[in-house]
Amino acid sequence: MAVGTFITIEGGEGAGKTTLITRLTDRIYRETKQKTMTTREPGGIPIAEAIRAVVLDRGNTKMDARTEALLYAAARRQHLAEKVIPALERGEIVICDRFVDSSLAYQGYARGLGIERVWEINRFATEDRMPDLTLYLDVDPEIGLSRIEANGAREVNRLDLENLAFHRRVREGYRIVAGMFPERFVTLDASADPDELEEQAWRYVASQLFPDS
Ligand code: TYD
């Protein structure tokens, strides 16, 4: 039986997921003395990193939308089975940069495959193992993409190359996903500065970790 805490962080490009994850990990350690396992999708373990290399390769211009959805789901399955579930079974706190909601917003909605259809293949991949809490960092894609441009160190992947209209659809997709999973899905205003965003996020993480206080 999984007894740990599974938290996922979602958002469009340049929403600030990486910065928030570092801050939350530090804060959890300060407040609980517990170490957090941080990981990411697609990737996190060698098999899934190999799938990541294929799915994000800018040279793979021929990739079919269903192939893309299946590759993300395959990477998710392996990562969950090999890394996330064992950590939860050991009682750990796991923070994962992206999870199933990314597939629903990007492949299901923005690519037009249909959220319900992508949800079906992901139910197979995850056996319905869902996060306890999902923090979605919501920001206008124009702001997000300009943050990425300003951060020259970040790699530009195949999905970054999509146009602004695609990233707007991703945002709309996340809005729909928020309505599907109100019990775990929280939308945060990621146009806020990093301190303020951390405070917003911490409130939800703390009530997940200390439900009785
Ligand atoms: P990454 O470099 O991790 O980007 P980010 O910093 O934005 O998370 O690349 C992951 C990319 O893959 C990102 O563009 C979103 C996309 N993606 C999907 O389209 N579907 C998915 O299920 C996942 C996990 C990611």
Side-chain angles (χ1 to χ4, degrees):
M1 241 272 290
V3 290
T5 305
F6 184 23
I7 298 171
T8 59
I9 312 290
E10 294 283 350
E13 317 303 314
K17 292 184 284 106
T18 312
T19 307
L20 181 67
I21 290 169
T22 308
R23 283 167 168 255
L24 286 179
T25 305
D26 292 349
R27 185 119 177 209
I28 290 168
Y29 187 72
R30 282 205 306 279
E31 307 265 352
T32 68
K33 292 289 168 258
Q34 247 187 294
K35 287 210 175 119
T36 300
M37 173 191 279
T38 60
T39 187
R40 71 163 179 181
E41 279 203 4
I45 36 121
I47 293 172
E49 289 289 340
I51 298 173
R52 176 188 177 91
V54 173
V55 80
L56 293 180
D57 184 344
R58 290 162 62 178
N60 282 337
T61 51
K62 285 192 183 147
M63 191 171 297
D64 173 77
R66 288 181 186 221
T67 306
E68 183 181 277
L70 289 164
L71 286 173
Y72 280 118
R76 174 161 307 125
R77 170 66 195 171
Q78 186 65 29
H79 179 245
L80 191 67
E82 190 179 330
K83 189 169 178 184
V84 175
I85 290 178
L88 293 173
E89 285 176 349
R90 291 191 301 269
E92 293 181 25
I93 302 166
V94 177
I95 298 187
C96 188
D97 184 345
R98 298 193 181 279
F99 190 59
V100 68
D101 303 314
S102 286
S103 284
L104 301 180
Y106 282 77
Q107 282 68 51
Y109 192 78
R111 284 275 189 244
L113 288 177
I115 290 180
E116 286 302 327
R117 260 197 295 197
V118 174
W119 177 227
E120 278 309 311
I121 62 167
N122 276 279
R123 290 188 72 175
F124 175 73
T126 60
E127 294 179 280
D128 292 327
R129 182 64 184 89
M130 293 301 275
D132 299 301
L133 173 67
T134 298
L135 301 174
Y136 164 55
L137 310 193
D138 180 46
V139 70
D140 184 324
E142 237 166 313
I143 298 177
L145 293 170
S146 69
R147 286 178 180 166
I148 289 182
E149 267 167 40
N151 175 7
R154 185 185 175 286
E155 69 183 87
V156 175
N157 68 47
R158 200 168 55 80
L159 279 92
D160 294 333
L161 297 178
E162 292 290 342
N163 61 26
L164 190 58
F166 177 84
H167 294 288
R168 289 202 191 292
R169 287 200 298 279
V170 169
R171 190 183 197 196
E172 186 52 35
Y174 274 122
R175 287 215 179 112
I176 297 169
V177 172
M180 288 169 65
F181 303 104
E183 69 292 351
R184 66 167 170 89
F185 197 103
V186 173
T187 299
L188 302 177
D189 175 10
S191 66
D193 69 54
D195 287 343
E196 204 180 314
L197 185 61
E198 180 187 330
E199 288 313 315
Q200 289 184 51
W202 178 249
R203 247 178 285 144
Y204 292 97
V205 172
S207 60
Q208 188 66 48
L209 295 178
F210 318 112
D212 301 326
S213 56

